Amino acid sequence: EKLKSGEMDSAPTHLYGYGSYGACMEASFSVTRLPLLDRGMIYVIAHVRGGGEMGRQWYEEPNGAKYLCKQNTFHDFVDVAKYLINDRKITTPSQLSCEGRSAGGLLVGASINQAPELFKMALLGVPFVDVVPTMVDATIPLTIVEWSEWGNPNESKYFDYMMEYSPINNVQKGKKYPACLLTGGLNDPRVQYWEPAKFAAEIRHQHDEDKSGPVCLKIDMAAGHFSASDRYKYLKELSFDYAFLLDQLGLAKE
């Protein structure tokens, strides 16, 4: 309302995305978003290609985001960020945060590599960011099944394409990166804990240390892929994520 009335030029905004497996991220209410909304934030769910929100063609080749057109997912997410900043003018890069979990962590990792200047901070939960080593290792329980989503990197065409977007292999040297919080679970069988650990180390090594935000890593020593199963522990973990987000956006005291 304040944006529409002209009382505010822009507002802090949180951009969430997933964009894989044809899954639909429907716009729905969740009480866990109230800590952000109560502080004046706008919550945006990006329906990027790779999801199924716009039908099967939004997911499948040649114009979706599967196999050798996976990068459409990341292009779409970056385009949504640009749309919010440049076209709708509801936010600015210094007020824009982003979030993704699992394959959504791949989305966020690839997007901040592609356009780090668009985001103030990023939440990457159990992020799939070391694509090729994970997809080559057939001993990991889900790897062979996952070839139907990403392709088999034992084939050169898929290997080369994966290397073009794999977040850990495409961190831009000397660039200003957003503040990042990466989380993982020691017992995660889908995204091993060393993936967020390695990505955090790579960003710290490559980014402009003086201009970039902090890069923090948090590993839950008792959790798996879906975070804490206990409801109250889940809320505690989420509050940690949001505390980091609000602090980086300068909203922690409001």
Side-chain angles (χ1 to χ4, degrees):
E1 293 180 359
K2 291 183 178 180
L3 283 173
K4 292 180 180 179
S5 66
E7 293 181 48
M8 294 174 58
D9 293 328
S10 59
T13 301
H14 189 57
L15 178 60
Y16 177 86
Y18 187 73
S20 289
Y21 307 106
C24 296
M25 297 293 110
E26 299 292 352
S28 59
F29 175 77
S30 173
V31 69
T32 57
R33 295 172 190 154
L34 289 177
L36 305 183
L37 302 179
D38 286 344
R39 288 166 173 82
M41 293 194 68
I42 297 171
Y43 194 98
V44 178
I45 301 173
H47 288 169
V48 296
R49 279 175 287 181
E53 295 88 359
M54 301 293 289
R56 197 68 182 176
Q57 76 280 1
W58 206 239
Y59 169 58
E60 298 280 3
E61 290 185 299
N63 298 314
K66 187 179 181 183
Y67 294 138
L68 298 178
C69 56
K70 184 59 196 173
Q71 293 197 63
N72 286 337
T73 304
F74 320 131
H75 299 328
D76 287 354
F77 196 74
V78 169
D79 285 345
V80 170
K82 290 179 178 178
Y83 172 74
L84 296 172
I85 295 168
N86 299 323
D87 297 342
R88 289 295 302 274
K89 300 187 185 301
I90 66 172
T91 193
T92 64
S94 63
Q95 295 174 297
L96 181 60
S97 59
C98 58
E99 178 183 6
R101 289 184 54 83
S102 192
L106 166 64
L107 165 64
V108 170
S111 297
I112 63 173
N113 279 341
Q114 185 179 137
E117 71 281 357
L118 293 179
F119 305 98
K120 177 65 175 178
M121 73 82 54
L123 288 175
L124 300 92
V126 291
F128 176 42
V129 287
D130 197 12
V131 179
V132 173
T134 297
M135 295 308 300
V136 165
D137 188 356
T139 66
I140 298 174
L142 294 178
T143 291
I144 295 177
V145 178
E146 294 286 332
W147 287 344
S148 64
E149 174 73 17
W150 315 98
N152 182 354
N154 292 297
E155 299 179 40
S156 61
K157 64 178 181 179
Y158 292 116
F159 174 87
D160 293 340
Y161 189 71
M162 287 178 181
M163 289 296 290
E164 291 179 9
Y165 67 76
S166 177
I168 203 168
N169 301 106
N170 289 280
V171 178
Q172 297 193 55
K173 186 175 181 61
K175 284 294 187 74
K176 177 183 177 181
Y177 266 70
C180 296
L181 174 61
L182 301 97
T183 65
L186 185 66
N187 302 311
D188 189 343
R190 301 190 183 195
V191 177
Q192 306 291 337
Y193 67 89
W194 53 76
E195 291 203 36
K198 289 171 66 176
F199 191 45
E202 185 67 15
I203 295 175
R204 290 170 181 168
H205 179 66
Q206 298 288 1
H207 72 178
D208 186 325
E209 186 175 356
D210 296 326
K211 296 180 180 179
S212 300
V215 179
C216 300
L217 174 69
K218 183 174 181 287
I219 302 296
D220 190 320
M221 306 303 285
H225 189 66
F226 295 99
S227 187
S229 57
D230 178 89
R231 178 176 54 152
Y232 294 106
K233 186 178 179 183
Y234 166 75
L235 293 174
K236 183 178 179 180
E237 296 298 318
L238 184 61
S239 68
F240 184 96
D241 296 348
Y242 282 175
F244 183 85
L245 184 160
L246 293 169
D247 178 68
Q248 293 303 312
L249 294 184
L251 301 173
K253 295 181 180 180
E254 295 185 19

